[in-house]
Amino acid sequence: MPEFVRIRAPMDEAAVLSLRAGQKVLISGVLYSGRDATHKRMIELIQKGEPLPFDLKGQIIYYLGPTPARPGQVIGSAGPTTSSRMDPYMLPLYEKGLKGTIGKGNRSQEVIDLIKKYKAVHFSNIGGAAALIAKSIKKCDMIAFKDLGTEAIYRLEVEDFYCIVAYDSEGNDLYKEAMARYGR
Amino acid sequence: MRTIEAGAITDAVEKTFMEITHLLGDDLVAALEKAHREEESPLGKEILSHLLQNVKIGREEKMPVCQDTGTSVVFVEMGQEVQVVGGGLFEAINQGVGQAYTKGYLRASIVRDPILRGSTGDNTPPVVHVEVAPGNQFKITMMAKGSGCENMSRFSMLTPAQGRKGIIDFVVDTVRRGGGRPCPPLIVGVGLGGTFDQAAWIAKKSLFRRVGAHHSEPHIRELEEELLEKVNNLGMGPQAWGGRITALSVHVEKYPTHIASLPVAVNIECHSHRVRTVAL
């Protein structure tokens, strides 16, 4: 097996289905940022039957609230926030075609079941490596919810964005397997 | 009576928060380097090498090491022979925080109301603690405290009968429940004794200690060592992607308590450990 699997975002179904928990991936393409307040507002839009700022089909949402960019920078520091805080919002997003999410830390069993049901995938990247991660973000545009500041939606163009598959479409769980291996 | 200008406090607070968010302490860096040498998991080692690269980028390019530039926690140890002149102490600190986060391109993470939310725009207000000490010293300890880890902190009122074993079980369970969410490798701060509020405060204070430095009393030092071993035996490792280094160190502080009580507070800190003490 090659050390890294390279994938394009947005993802097609074949790519999602091929991924397995524990694989290291390098993502190139487009990600959209979103965290707590972003999700709350997206869900309110869905409930009101209004369109979302971007089509979720095949997309990956990165749980991110960056620091402000300095003059000349594409983006400030840009590491992941905790995934599980977005757990209560996931069902309507998968129903609209969302295929991937990136954040740090384990998720609830409910979300792991949704990932399996909707044939999606959840990636983790390295929490607290924010200055390093920013180097793989080549373009950043705020596309919606400007009033939310760091919690606005940013469209990110990324190259070789380092992640690991945490939960795959068959329900495999990196965290559970990892702990069993190194626990004493 | 020694006097200190409020403006000097504002300047120190501004400068310190602008620096600590990109320049990590040598104690923390040494602990990460040691973890990198000792980690058995190849993936864990790779994560630690990313974290060391991240520390280097932060230092060289003055980029925040973490996008969560934290809640600004400020602890003032003020000699009783000191008078602050030219403005209020809290306002001086508040202004320093606002200036640091605005000028330093740091993230404004504070909302003005826990229910209504809404950013304050400049990360104010800080959480401020003041203790009065003898003499004419004026020391300010500043911490940019990330909330991914703060959220995984827990408190329990144990009974005296639960004792040392109860403490160990609660601390280890707190780390286990947090999993990868608080960004391991961690620094685990534990406060024992006092009251509900005091235990939480001394748990926070234990994080101001140099990373890996032990308590002076042997039975507390032994508890710290045992807790570190047990936490690392969880097998979570860096980012909980599997490995032997889940925590870099465990710090325990204690305070006398009531005959009926054994309060235990666990304040979880991530590897982006940003704290510095400045004396004026």
Side-chain angles (χ1 to χ4, degrees):
Chain A
M1 201 196 299
E3 208 203 350
F4 288 98
V5 180
R6 288 177 183 272
I7 60 167
R8 296 287 312 172
M11 298 182 289
D12 58 34
E13 186 161 297
V16 177
L17 295 177
S18 72
L19 295 168
R20 286 295 162 269
Q23 278 179 332
K24 290 193 286 182
V25 298
L26 295 173
I27 304 174
S28 296
V30 174
L31 311 176
Y32 290 91
S33 75
R35 46 172 297 150
D36 308 68
T38 332
H39 278 71
K40 183 167 183 281
R41 193 172 290 180
M42 284 197 294
I43 299 306
E44 285 164 0
L45 288 174
I46 291 173
Q47 284 168 347
K48 284 190 273 184
E50 290 176 21
L52 291 174
F54 64 102
D55 183 359
L56 285 173
K57 280 196 186 64
Q59 300 294 351
I60 300 177
I61 293 180
Y62 179 27
Y63 299 144
L64 165 70
T67 60
R70 285 209 176 90
Q73 280 183 326
V74 170
I75 193 168
S77 296
T81 195
T82 306
S83 311
S84 63
R85 287 200 316 276
M86 269 47 81
D87 287 357
Y89 302 114
M90 294 314 293
L91 176 60
L93 303 181
Y94 288 132
E95 285 175 342
K96 294 266 177 203
L98 180 71
K99 279 294 169 190
T101 44
I102 307 172
K104 65 175 160 103
N106 37 306
R107 308 204 69 157
S108 64
Q109 190 56 51
E110 288 74 13
V111 171
I112 298 170
D113 294 342
L114 288 175
I115 288 170
K116 202 172 161 185
K117 181 175 173 193
Y118 286 91
K119 299 293 170 211
V121 62
H122 176 69
F123 304 98
S124 286
N125 62 341
I126 301 178
L132 178 62
I133 291 167
K135 304 280 181 198
S136 56
I137 300 173
K138 304 301 175 185
K139 198 163 181 286
C140 170
D141 296 297
M142 186 192 283
I143 63 155
F145 306 166
K146 184 173 185 231
D147 60 300
L148 295 181
T150 187
E151 297 195 89
I153 300 180
Y154 296 92
R155 181 183 184 277
L156 308 168
E157 289 184 18
V158 301
E159 267 175 39
D160 291 344
F161 188 93
Y162 177 105
C163 291
I164 194 163
V165 179
Y167 303 106
D168 65 33
S169 56
E170 291 189 349
N172 296 305
D173 177 344
L174 159 76
Y175 294 103
K176 207 183 274 176
E177 290 160 19
M179 252 179 109
R181 193 148 148 213
Y182 287 96
R184 272 171 211 170
Chain B
M1 202 68 165
R2 182 183 168 210
T3 60
I4 290 180
E5 286 288 338
I9 297 168
T10 298
D11 290 348
V13 170
E14 177 191 315
K15 179 171 182 283
T16 305
F17 277 108
M18 281 176 73
E19 278 186 12
I20 60 175
T21 38
H22 68 257
L23 190 62
L24 293 176
D26 55 358
D27 53 337
L28 189 273
V29 177
L32 284 176
E33 284 167 345
K34 181 170 180 276
H36 182 250
R37 282 194 303 275
E38 293 176 358
E39 177 55 60
E40 292 170 20
S41 147
L43 187 56
K45 221 184 220 327
E46 184 171 305
I47 292 165
L48 289 159
S49 119
H50 279 231
L51 294 180
L52 287 166
Q53 280 179 62
N54 186 65
V55 167
K56 186 165 178 274
I57 295 169
R59 184 177 64 232
E60 289 176 356
E61 301 182 22
K62 299 191 175 179
M63 265 184 93
V65 288
C66 181
Q67 79 290 338
D68 182 359
T69 46
T71 298
S72 307
V73 178
V74 180
F75 169 42
V76 180
E77 292 166 276
M78 185 168 164
Q80 60 197 26
E81 294 160 29
V82 174
Q83 187 184 10
V84 175
V85 296
L89 174 62
F90 180 84
E91 193 41 48
I93 295 167
N94 197 55
Q95 200 183 328
V97 168
Q99 289 171 194
Y101 281 71
T102 309
K103 289 186 198 171
Y105 293 88
L106 306 178
R107 195 178 81 180
S109 305
I110 301 301
V111 294
R112 68 177 60 84
D113 183 290
I115 297 169
L116 304 175
R117 317 301 289 183
S119 175
T120 62
D122 62 1
N123 220 53
T124 61
V127 171
V128 180
H129 298 267
V130 182
E131 284 184 5
V132 177
N136 65 1
Q137 63 161 331
F138 190 90
K139 280 202 300 188
I140 319 176
T141 299
M142 285 155 276
M143 179 182 216
K145 183 67 173 75
S147 240
C149 50
E150 190 74 2
N151 284 344
M152 297 301 127
S153 302
R154 284 208 305 160
F155 182 88
S156 183
M157 280 293 187
L158 300 183
T159 62
Q162 287 173 287
R164 189 174 186 275
K165 182 176 184 303
I167 293 165
I168 291 171
D169 290 346
F170 183 71
V171 173
V172 174
D173 190 47
T174 298
V175 174
R176 189 187 56 75
R177 284 169 181 239
R181 291 177 286 179
C183 288
L186 308 172
I187 301 160
V188 181
V190 181
L192 303 177
T195 44
F196 181 80
D197 51 322
Q198 179 76 347
W201 167 229
I202 61 177
K204 175 72 89 262
K205 257 176 142 175
S206 80
L207 299 174
F208 301 157
R209 202 192 289 169
R210 280 183 70 81
V211 178
H214 281 293
H215 195 275
S216 58
E217 292 187 40
H219 74 293
I220 301 293
R221 180 191 176 112
E222 279 164 26
L223 179 63
E224 289 172 340
E225 287 167 347
E226 188 173 340
L227 282 169
L228 181 62
E229 190 189 342
K230 290 210 155 81
V231 161
N232 285 337
N233 279 344
L234 289 169
M236 285 166 29
Q239 300 292 310
W241 295 2
R244 298 292 307 156
I245 317 276
T246 304
L248 301 170
S249 66
V250 178
H251 299 174
V252 179
E253 289 292 333
K254 68 184 171 92
Y255 196 83
T257 192
H258 189 280
I259 46 172
S261 294
L262 178 49
V264 183
V266 185
N267 195 193
I268 301 290
E269 168 73 324
C270 63
H271 60 78
S272 287
H273 175 57
R274 296 151 295 181
V275 62
R276 188 188 293 177
T277 300
V278 173
L280 294 186

